[in-house]
Amino acid sequence: PFYYEYAGGFTAALDYAPTIIMLTVLIMSFFVAGIFSNEFGWKADSVFFSARYGRNRGTFSKIAAGLIVITGVYWLVILIYSAVVFSVAGIGGANCVIQTSWAFWKSFYNITCLQTYLLTVIGGYVGALFILAVSMLVSAKTHTTVLAVTIPFVLLFIQSFLGGFSVLSDVLGLLPDQLLQINMAIKTFTLYEIGGKVIGSVPIILTIYSVLFLIILPVLYQVYRKTEIK
């Protein structure tokens, strides 16, 4: 039999975590979108790229600033959210398997409520890093803040427009917005066969977008460092 106890705190935290994470990512997009394009709006690009360390250390500092903002804001919001929810509803039921919850009764993942919550916030962080790195890359390439700000909105809401096409169901399960709502993916039977092995979507998207994020960083550095002054 399942071990069971009151787990209302984790149920409440998991219910609203995707919304909090998505809103945080959208708000942070306004913070990071201008990091690589402001010089062009302020007509200071010639000064920046003509400086001795502008193209190397300056570019590196911009990337570091973006990552610090994303990391700092994201985990601050998560810590505040978690503190509020768990202080009110308690942390009981951390070791209960998720199948004891009505929302997760049909999940095939063998994890506890605590592990599910940790997976949700870590997945949200990976998703935030990838989505906002893409936004910074667009900012660096196009020198336009407005276009860079729209990227997170497109990546987060594209599934809402394409969700009605059943032929795209397999693809939609691997889009980056799924990282921001991993607890929703855990509920469903979204399965893929790789090399004869059947695996859920959660480990796949975590791996794919972690690797893509690491690839984007050097690309972002090279794109901005090689910007031509007009």
Side-chain angles (χ1 to χ4, degrees):
F2 283 131
Y3 163 76
Y4 178 74
E5 66 173 324
Y6 169 80
F10 285 95
T11 300
L14 288 169
D15 282 344
Y16 298 102
T19 302
I20 295 298
I21 293 173
M22 286 185 179
L23 288 175
T24 302
V25 170
L26 292 177
I27 292 172
M28 285 193 295
S29 67
F30 291 94
F31 296 161
V32 304
I35 292 177
F36 291 89
S37 58
N38 282 340
E39 275 77 19
F40 300 92
W42 298 334
K43 306 300 181 183
D45 52 308
S46 59
V47 176
F48 179 86
F49 290 107
S50 297
R52 181 179 180 182
Y53 298 115
R55 291 186 179 274
N56 41 51
R57 294 185 185 178
T59 302
F60 179 82
S61 297
K62 284 179 174 289
I63 296 175
L67 297 181
I68 290 172
V69 169
I70 295 169
T71 301
V73 173
Y74 180 84
W75 287 111
L76 178 62
V77 171
I78 292 299
L79 288 174
I80 294 175
Y81 170 71
S82 300
V84 171
V85 173
F86 291 125
S87 63
V88 174
I91 58 173
N95 294 321
C96 290
V97 294
I98 57 174
Q99 286 80 9
T100 58
S101 170
W102 176 255
F104 296 95
W105 69 270
K106 62 179 179 179
S107 175
F108 56 85
Y109 292 94
N110 184 25
I111 53 179
T112 65
C113 292
L114 176 59
Q115 290 170 333
T116 303
Y117 185 66
L118 292 176
L119 191 60
T120 298
V121 296
I122 291 173
Y125 179 58
V126 173
L129 287 174
F130 171 76
I131 291 173
L132 295 175
V134 173
S135 178
M136 290 191 291
L137 179 60
V138 171
S139 175
K141 184 65 177 178
T142 64
H143 310 156
T144 304
T145 302
V146 175
L147 184 58
V149 169
T150 63
I151 297 300
F153 287 88
V154 172
L155 293 178
L156 290 184
F157 297 110
I158 188 173
Q159 186 168 168
S160 301
F161 297 100
L162 301 179
F165 298 94
S166 58
V167 295
L168 298 176
S169 58
D170 290 340
V171 176
L172 295 178
L174 297 176
L175 292 180
D177 68 295
Q178 295 298 299
L179 284 168
L180 308 187
Q181 47 186 345
I182 278 187
N183 62 317
M184 305 300 291
I186 291 175
K187 296 179 182 180
T188 61
F189 286 97
T190 307
L191 301 173
Y192 298 88
E193 183 176 352
I194 303 175
K197 294 183 178 180
V198 178
I199 187 171
S201 62
V202 173
I204 296 176
I205 58 178
L206 282 172
T207 302
I208 289 176
Y209 292 106
S210 296
V211 172
L212 288 178
F213 166 70
L214 294 176
I215 293 174
I216 287 175
L217 291 183
V219 173
L220 174 60
Y221 178 82
Q222 292 298 328
V223 166
Y224 199 69
R225 188 175 69 87
K226 295 181 179 180
T227 298
E228 295 183 2
I229 301 176
K230 298 181 181 180

